[in-house]
Amino acid sequence: MADHAGDHERLDLSRLHHFHGGLKLPECKAAATATPLRTLPVPPRLILPLQQHIGEPARPVVAIGDQVRKGQLIARAEGYVSVPVHASTSGRVTDIGDYPVPHPSGLSAPAIVIDSDGDDTPVAGTPHGDYRSLDPSELRNRIRRAGIVGLGGAGFPTFIKMNPGPHKPVDLLLINGAECEPYISCDDMLMRERPQEVIEGIHILMHALQVGTCVIGVEDNKPEAIAALEQTVAADHRLGDIRVQAIPTLYPSGGEKQLIRILTGREVPSQGLPADIGIVCQNPATVAAVYHAIHRNEPLISRIVTVTGTGVEAPANLEVRIGTPMRHLIEACGGYTPGVDRMLMGGPMMGFALTSDALPVTKTTNCLLATTREELPPPEPPRPCIRCGECVRVCPAQLLPQQLYWFAHARDFDKAQDYNLFDCIECGCCAYVCPSRLPLVQYYRFAKTEIWAQERDRIKADIARQRHESRQERLEREKRERAERLKRKKQAVREGDDNSKQAAIQAALERARARKQTGADSPEKSD
Amino acid sequence: MTGVLGAVLALGLLAAVFGLLLGYAAIRFKVESDPVVDQINAILPQTQCGQCGYAGCRPYAEAIAAGEAEINQCPPGGEAGIRALADLLGRDFVPLNEEEHGEHKGRMVAVIDEQICIGCTLCIQACPVDAILGAAKHMHTVIEEECTGCELCIEPCPVDCIDMVPVPEDINQWRWPSPDERRIDIADRSTASG
């Protein structure tokens, strides 16, 4: 390990750093971690949305009525920022159409429905034993073909993160096992029960990125996970410096930029990426999915979901197939309690309310939180901002939340952008401490989507302007050309009038003369 | 006396040199068109619908720049457009003049009923952005991507086969509602439950 000392100095991994603000929140994780991880049986019907990631929706490559096998490609990636979708079990495609998807809008989106045949027959394929014989671009391709996206919740295609480009040398792989949001414990359970999958996946990613150092950051409220990982790392004698680092429990230490700050002291630039400062950050579940994709040739067709809250009888962590309707998960956890009021996808800070439990689990479903009114009361009516500044104190992105609030409220989006609205990670700390109970994050989300919509409108307007201008030009040109043609014709007719008459007369005269001459000549000739 | 003459001569010379310099700069760095019109036009939604009372977005922009038109005559631009114009021109925000120019609707596109279309090309001639494809006595169709929803093709159609349909919301274009609008629901709900 001594030969990596230089890296450490450069990276400064010797001590922990602090990020600005943050909150100590009630953890509420014990209920779901009390029982071991369980695997949910394959449900009779699976709904697989074509867009479970950031980017372009995948395009179906199967038709209604087709028989598919577990792990078979059913929709291919469309464009660069996109990943494919695979059948989570074997069965028959019974529908391709719009189905309600878990999304804050409550809208429907295209999905493929598969009725399971109960056999769970996998598609034929040969696993690739030795990842070290594959070069990084081939590994990235395999990760892409396996449909792997960030399983922490954002769903950004993993292969893109693995390709920072030649001008951005990466010197550290960071595994984000902080899992800082209350209630959520799916990564905790994965790290506790399957640490070897995480470590194997890390080795693959280190090879793919050609980095020698990896740090797994885990909040110190997960001693079991830390112990399990440390044990696995200690038993691992391969090259590469993998270390497990406990970090203080403070929300939102699992924010990518915050975790990087804590572990390396480096600051991700405003609107920049971790790769800009030589770091690639991945979630443990994503890393385990990479292991499955490379070692076992299995695409991403299942994930671990935390089902918790006082709204369910027996909270637990379940490994479920992607596309499983959520009510199966609730049933497996003993059903709802009588006082259940709302169900969220994600945690209480960053999650959003679901409209139904018939929605499918997607690649980004990390937690189902069913709550009672006592546990998560409905929002109180907001009162005016008193400019107390509490939000500024807790903001982990060092923004000015109250200023952003005023600008979003006044729809002054340019100003909001000047105050770095897009650096807001929507962690909800500001709204949590706000004494006026202002739904601050809702304002920022509103402002962000409004700015994106304006941008789209502007692009559309630019195209329309161009098309209109070229049409005007064309009409103008056609008019000019028609006028010119007319003028030419008129002129031709006018000039032609004289000329052609003269010419006709001339020609007639010529002909007559010629005839006369031949008439005069011929008798002579005949004579 | 010579001192005065010298001064006058020197100043005269300077004036002539700077005059020439300024004259040259005026020609060399001439600004082609009125940039305010371009800036206004950049804000307008380019539907070319004529609801503002002008023949298109650019004529309306010219009218605003000339002070002949108000900034609240563009229904497709909506409130956001009026705000942007007010910002640009340093005027106060005024709500959309719905009575004279119509109300702000969501994005619409024209759809031709291909069973009824007789291929008369009248709509093609009316479309300001060339978003309708077809030829005489051949069926016409709207290129949805390019349609601005201006409704100018509806009027000329002799068989009434063009409909305006709202563009369905999808999750990628969806916008979070403003909490200011939602506050009403929450208040409603709390009074209902209380």
Side-chain angles (χ1 to χ4, degrees):
Chain A
M1 296 279 156
D3 50 323
H4 288 285
D7 280 354
H8 298 174
E9 251 173 47
R10 195 150 44 87
L11 277 165
D12 189 21
L13 296 172
S14 53
R15 65 187 187 91
L16 293 180
H17 303 257
H18 296 283
F19 63 89
H20 180 265
L23 283 174
K24 283 227 176 293
L25 297 174
E27 288 164 22
C28 310
K29 291 180 193 256
T33 53
T35 53
L37 193 57
R38 274 188 290 151
T39 303
L40 194 75
V42 179
R45 171 169 287 188
L46 293 152
I47 303 159
L48 293 147
L50 295 175
Q51 189 182 19
Q52 304 178 36
H53 51 264
I54 289 174
E56 285 294 300
R59 176 171 290 198
V61 293
V62 291
I64 296 172
D66 283 4
Q67 287 290 332
V68 291
R69 290 183 163 196
K70 176 171 102 171
Q72 185 182 326
L73 179 83
I74 54 171
R76 64 175 161 79
E78 187 79 358
Y80 180 66
V81 188
S82 182
V83 291
V85 178
H86 301 83
S88 304
T89 189
S90 61
R92 205 168 62 86
V93 176
T94 50
D95 196 14
I96 299 174
D98 282 0
Y99 281 81
V101 291
H103 188 268
S105 65
L107 290 170
S108 294
I112 297 176
V113 181
I114 295 173
D115 278 5
S116 165
D117 58 12
D119 298 334
D120 212 21
T121 330
V123 72
T126 44
H128 201 283
D130 189 16
Y131 64 88
R132 267 162 300 198
S133 64
L134 299 171
D135 66 287
S137 77
E138 173 60 19
L139 278 172
R140 279 199 301 272
N141 277 336
R142 281 170 188 247
I143 289 169
R144 182 183 202 197
R145 283 205 299 272
I148 296 174
V149 299
L151 297 179
F156 189 74
T158 301
F159 77 95
I160 298 175
K161 264 191 171 180
M162 301 300 296
N163 192 11
H167 53 287
K168 288 181 188 169
V170 173
D171 62 358
L172 177 68
L173 171 65
L174 206 59
I175 304 302
N176 185 347
E179 203 166 50
C180 57
E181 196 166 356
Y183 290 96
I184 308 175
S185 56
C186 51
D187 290 344
D188 183 10
M189 292 309 278
L190 173 77
M191 292 186 289
R192 278 191 210 192
E193 299 200 10
R194 299 172 185 175
Q196 64 290 348
E197 291 186 4
V198 177
I199 302 300
E200 288 296 331
I202 287 172
H203 276 295
I204 298 169
L205 292 190
M206 286 171 82
H207 175 68
L209 288 164
Q210 300 286 303
V211 295
T213 316
C214 171
V215 179
I216 311 172
V218 186
E219 273 192 349
D220 57 12
N221 62 355
K222 302 175 197 41
E224 295 92 341
I226 293 170
L229 288 170
E230 275 176 344
Q231 219 173 348
T232 316
V233 171
D236 184 43
H237 298 298
R238 276 170 291 181
L239 272 175
D241 176 12
I242 302 175
R243 47 174 67 195
V244 184
Q245 180 66 58
I247 57 168
T249 300
L250 182 70
Y251 181 79
S253 63
E256 198 171 54
K257 292 177 181 181
Q258 284 68 35
L259 187 71
I260 289 170
R261 172 90 192 146
I262 294 168
L263 291 171
T264 69
R266 291 183 190 172
E267 192 90 40
V268 179
S270 171
Q271 294 202 40
L273 293 171
D276 298 339
I277 51 167
I279 295 169
V280 168
C281 192
Q282 299 284 3
N283 164 278
T286 313
V287 176
V290 168
Y291 160 75
H292 284 279
I294 304 298
H295 275 272
R296 302 196 195 157
N297 203 18
E298 285 170 4
L300 180 58
I301 55 165
S302 68
R303 68 157 296 145
I304 300 171
V305 181
T306 306
V307 184
T308 188
T310 48
V312 287
E313 288 288 351
N317 275 282
L318 304 171
E319 183 173 22
V320 304
R321 297 290 166 88
I322 307 289
T324 305
M326 290 169 179
R327 63 167 181 279
H328 292 284
L329 282 73
I330 302 292
E331 279 162 20
C333 292
Y336 295 112
T337 54
V340 68
D341 175 50
R342 278 195 285 172
M343 184 149 82
L344 309 184
M345 183 169 122
M349 300 296 283
M350 298 183 69
F352 57 88
L354 297 169
T355 47
S356 146
D357 60 7
L359 303 175
V361 167
T362 65
K363 291 175 183 176
T364 53
T365 308
N366 52 358
C367 178
L368 293 183
L369 176 58
T371 62
T372 55
R373 275 182 102 85
E374 293 73 50
E375 192 177 23
L376 200 69
E380 283 173 47
R383 292 180 290 272
C385 171
I386 56 169
R387 291 202 181 266
C388 64
E390 271 302 288
C391 48
V392 180
R393 204 178 53 75
V394 297
C395 179
Q398 283 177 276
L399 301 174
L400 298 173
Q402 61 171 1
Q403 291 307 103
L404 290 174
Y405 157 69
W406 287 110
F407 296 138
H409 176 69
R411 294 169 187 249
D412 192 347
F413 301 127
D414 287 343
K415 251 323 202 307
Q417 272 174 283
D418 290 345
Y419 279 71
N420 298 314
L421 170 69
F422 283 99
D423 282 334
C424 168
I425 57 167
E426 301 176 21
C427 65
C429 286
C430 51
Y432 188 86
V433 296
C434 180
S436 292
R437 295 278 163 255
L438 286 163
L440 293 168
V441 181
Q442 306 300 324
Y443 278 101
Y444 310 147
R445 286 171 168 168
F446 156 70
K448 284 180 184 177
T449 48
E450 208 60 31
I451 289 165
W452 288 328
Q454 284 183 4
E455 183 68 11
R456 281 195 301 271
D457 287 350
R458 203 185 51 72
I459 291 168
K460 218 176 141 45
D462 282 347
I463 295 170
R465 183 183 306 116
Q466 245 171 39
R467 290 181 73 87
H468 182 62
E469 278 167 8
S470 12
R471 180 185 151 88
Q472 298 290 88
E473 234 166 73
R474 196 193 70 220
L475 291 179
E476 204 56 40
R477 195 186 63 227
E478 278 174 2
K479 208 168 132 192
R480 215 174 38 236
E481 282 174 359
R482 205 177 306 130
E484 250 165 51
R485 256 205 317 276
L486 204 70
K487 212 169 92 188
R488 230 178 299 136
K489 209 182 242 170
K490 262 189 187 157
Q491 207 169 6
V493 169
R494 206 179 319 115
E495 283 176 11
D497 261 7
D498 315 340
N499 284 350
S500 58
K501 259 182 206 159
Q502 295 292 345
I505 294 166
Q506 204 64 36
L509 282 174
E510 289 286 320
R511 274 199 305 276
R513 201 173 301 138
R515 212 179 299 130
K516 228 181 238 170
Q517 227 156 38
T518 46
D521 287 352
S522 50
E524 275 180 18
K525 266 182 192 168
S526 61
D527 278 347
Chain B
M1 194 63 192
T2 46
V4 173
L5 264 177
V8 166
L9 215 70
L11 281 175
L13 204 71
L14 276 174
V17 167
F18 285 125
L20 279 172
L21 207 71
L22 279 173
Y24 171 74
I27 296 161
R28 179 74 177 73
F29 303 110
K30 194 181 174 193
V31 177
E32 271 307 320
S33 66
D34 188 358
V36 176
V37 173
D38 284 336
Q39 283 173 36
I40 295 171
N41 196 32
I43 290 169
L44 298 176
Q46 306 302 317
T47 44
Q48 318 294 351
C49 61
Q51 287 182 77
C52 51
Y54 293 87
C57 294
R58 200 175 173 88
Y60 178 43
E62 282 161 5
I64 294 176
E68 291 162 10
E70 279 299 318
I71 57 172
N72 63 345
Q73 302 184 0
C74 175
E79 207 191 297
I82 298 170
R83 264 177 213 287
L85 286 173
D87 236 29
L88 174 71
L89 303 168
R91 296 196 202 166
D92 284 334
F93 172 78
V94 273
L96 181 67
N97 188 346
E98 290 186 350
E99 262 173 44
E100 279 175 46
H101 302 284
E103 55 188 49
H104 176 73
K105 285 182 257 182
R107 199 167 106 68
M108 310 277 272
V109 286
V111 173
I112 293 177
D113 188 334
E114 298 173 347
Q115 299 296 316
I116 305 175
C117 174
I118 53 168
C120 69
T121 76
L122 287 177
C123 59
I124 295 180
Q125 292 163 40
C127 180
V129 291
D130 283 335
I132 305 178
L133 206 67
K137 292 190 180 153
H138 287 78
M139 185 191 67
H140 301 348
T141 193
V142 176
I143 309 168
E144 200 190 303
E145 279 292 292
E146 312 291 1
C147 176
T148 63
C150 67
E151 304 189 8
L152 291 179
C153 52
I154 305 268
E155 192 60 33
C157 180
V159 289
D160 222 359
C161 73
I162 308 176
D163 278 319
M164 297 306 295
V165 296
V167 178
E169 250 194 327
D170 78 89
I171 55 172
N172 293 315
Q173 320 255 303
W174 178 78
R175 293 182 273 177
W176 283 89
S178 162
D180 297 326
E181 288 154 25
R182 291 213 316 197
R183 192 172 294 175
I184 303 152
D185 317 350
I186 295 166
D188 278 354
R189 223 194 299 165
S190 58
T191 49
S193 62

